Amino acid sequence: MTDAALETRQGFDVRPLSDLMAAEVIGLDLSQPFDKETRDAVYRAFLEYQVLAFRGQKLTKDEQVAFTEQFGTLERHAARNRGTATHPLVHTVSNLNAEAKPSGTVSSTRWHTDKSFRPAPSMATVLHAITLPPDGGDTVFANMYAAYEALSESEKSEIDGVGVIHSWELSRDNIGRVISEEEKRDAPPMTHPLARVHPDTGRKCLFMGMHASHLDNVPMAAGRARIEALEAHATQPQLLYRHHWQEGDVLMWDNRCLLHHADTNFDAARYPRVLHRTCLRGTPTG
Ligand SMILES: [Fe+2]
């Protein structure tokens, strides 16, 4: 995209990062609380662009929590991913091993939407870059509004009203990990509409990703095949935005209408990539 227009709003500037979604927000210091007008203007931009990139920030964990809480209630993390004792609601996303050295492994590389296996899946994720590799380590987003809207009318009517079962157990099984009984109790399988209505915009979008296991009242194999085909449709290049991280970025995205994944396009055995994550709880999808 060229010639992106800079638009001034309530004390900050917004510049689109692609034709489809995402915008950078310039001129706000996230370490300070917003007044109500600024908070509301940021939230409107968030609904409009789905991904906001706040540039040039340097937040402590406490400041990140305070920023995030202006938009809702913080989500606890999966039993295995709890943060540290002092900051249980801030999860560190990193490729470092127990010796704090780059491990060569990057997590969250498959398409997903955060906490989709919860009864009230996440509304938004806030991710703050702490240490970045010299290049790459992108986060890629797929727009599920656009994916739904690109379906034919017969495909839309075929999936409207269909439930999809999201399972933490199955999604871990798919990456070769057997979860504990505690984790199973913590995150039992949950049914959500495959075509969900966004609670704030009223627009329809697909809701699936790697935690989506199978379809309600559809034979297992057929349901899985349908989900795979829909994911292939929803992640075509023209429906994506690739975020190239800059030092100081705070990214805030809408989990209700996007899929995302981390790209392995950097040398994860050589360079650290560390980010701090907070999540906001959403509302039931039904
Ligand atoms: Fe994620």
Side-chain angles (χ1 to χ4, degrees):
M1 177 162 170
T2 56
D3 244 7
L6 190 72
E7 190 191 333
T8 301
R9 302 187 177 186
Q10 191 69 38
F12 59 91
D13 293 329
V14 174
R15 182 187 289 133
L17 287 164
S18 83
D19 290 331
L20 183 63
M21 60 177 149
E24 59 181 345
V25 175
I26 303 147
L28 287 178
D29 176 0
L30 303 196
S31 72
Q32 302 300 316
F34 295 152
D35 58 36
K36 186 181 181 310
E37 290 71 26
T38 307
R39 181 260 175 226
D40 291 351
V42 168
Y43 194 71
R44 280 195 297 276
F46 168 75
L47 292 178
E48 188 178 339
Y49 290 101
Q50 296 96 46
V51 182
L52 295 182
F54 301 90
R55 303 294 196 188
Q57 309 296 321
K58 194 172 175 50
L59 301 183
T60 64
K61 287 183 177 179
D62 284 332
E63 287 166 346
Q64 181 169 341
V65 165
F67 163 72
T68 310
E69 282 185 322
Q70 294 176 106
F71 299 96
T73 305
L74 280 171
E75 174 69 275
R76 66 198 176 91
H77 291 296
R80 196 166 173 271
N81 281 349
R82 285 188 195 118
T84 58
T86 52
H87 294 93
L89 299 171
V90 181
H91 176 222
T92 299
V93 175
S94 122
N95 65 329
L96 303 182
N97 59 24
E99 288 78 46
K101 295 278 187 301
S103 64
T105 304
V106 182
S107 57
S108 302
T109 56
R110 295 183 52 179
W111 289 108
H112 67 285
T113 174
D114 290 339
K115 321 285 181 201
S116 67
F117 48 86
R118 295 283 184 209
S122 170
M123 165 193 147
T125 295
V126 173
L127 198 55
H128 184 22
I130 304 300
T131 308
L132 294 173
D135 197 16
D138 301 338
T139 302
V140 190
F141 295 90
N143 191 304
M144 295 295 108
Y145 288 136
Y148 179 80
E149 286 155 13
L151 293 171
S152 67
E153 289 309 311
S154 66
E155 284 174 310
K156 286 178 190 166
S157 55
E158 174 217 327
I159 65 169
D160 278 347
V162 171
V164 54
I165 290 85
H166 289 244
S167 164
W168 177 243
E169 182 179 5
L170 179 109
S171 86
R172 296 306 87 182
D173 189 50
N174 284 342
I175 59 168
R177 189 165 78 74
V178 178
I179 68 170
S180 67
E181 288 304 315
E182 186 201 358
E183 282 180 273
K184 278 187 208 172
R185 278 193 303 276
D186 182 58
M190 202 53 58
T191 304
H192 297 298
L194 181 54
R196 87 179 273 196
V197 176
H198 191 292
D200 288 333
T201 65
R203 293 174 68 190
K204 267 195 178 166
C205 48
L206 290 176
F207 193 66
M208 46 189 201
M210 76 175 293
H211 307 310
S213 160
H214 55 282
L215 301 180
D216 213 8
N217 297 317
V218 175
M220 180 67 88
R224 287 196 186 192
R226 189 74 191 101
I227 291 170
E228 274 180 34
L230 281 171
E231 184 172 302
H233 158 81
T235 56
Q236 299 172 76
Q238 71 272 24
L239 301 180
L240 307 185
Y241 163 70
R242 169 178 291 273
H243 187 70
H244 303 292
W245 288 91
Q246 294 180 12
E247 199 181 321
D249 273 359
V250 170
L251 217 59
M252 176 178 175
W253 70 80
D254 193 333
N255 277 312
R256 300 166 293 187
C257 55
L258 302 174
L259 294 181
H260 65 276
H261 76 85
D263 200 319
T264 55
N265 60 344
F266 72 107
D267 187 348
R270 182 166 177 197
Y271 298 112
R273 178 181 183 269
V274 181
L275 308 102
H276 287 165
R277 182 177 74 152
T278 41
C279 278
L280 284 169
R281 188 178 305 160
T283 48
T285 53

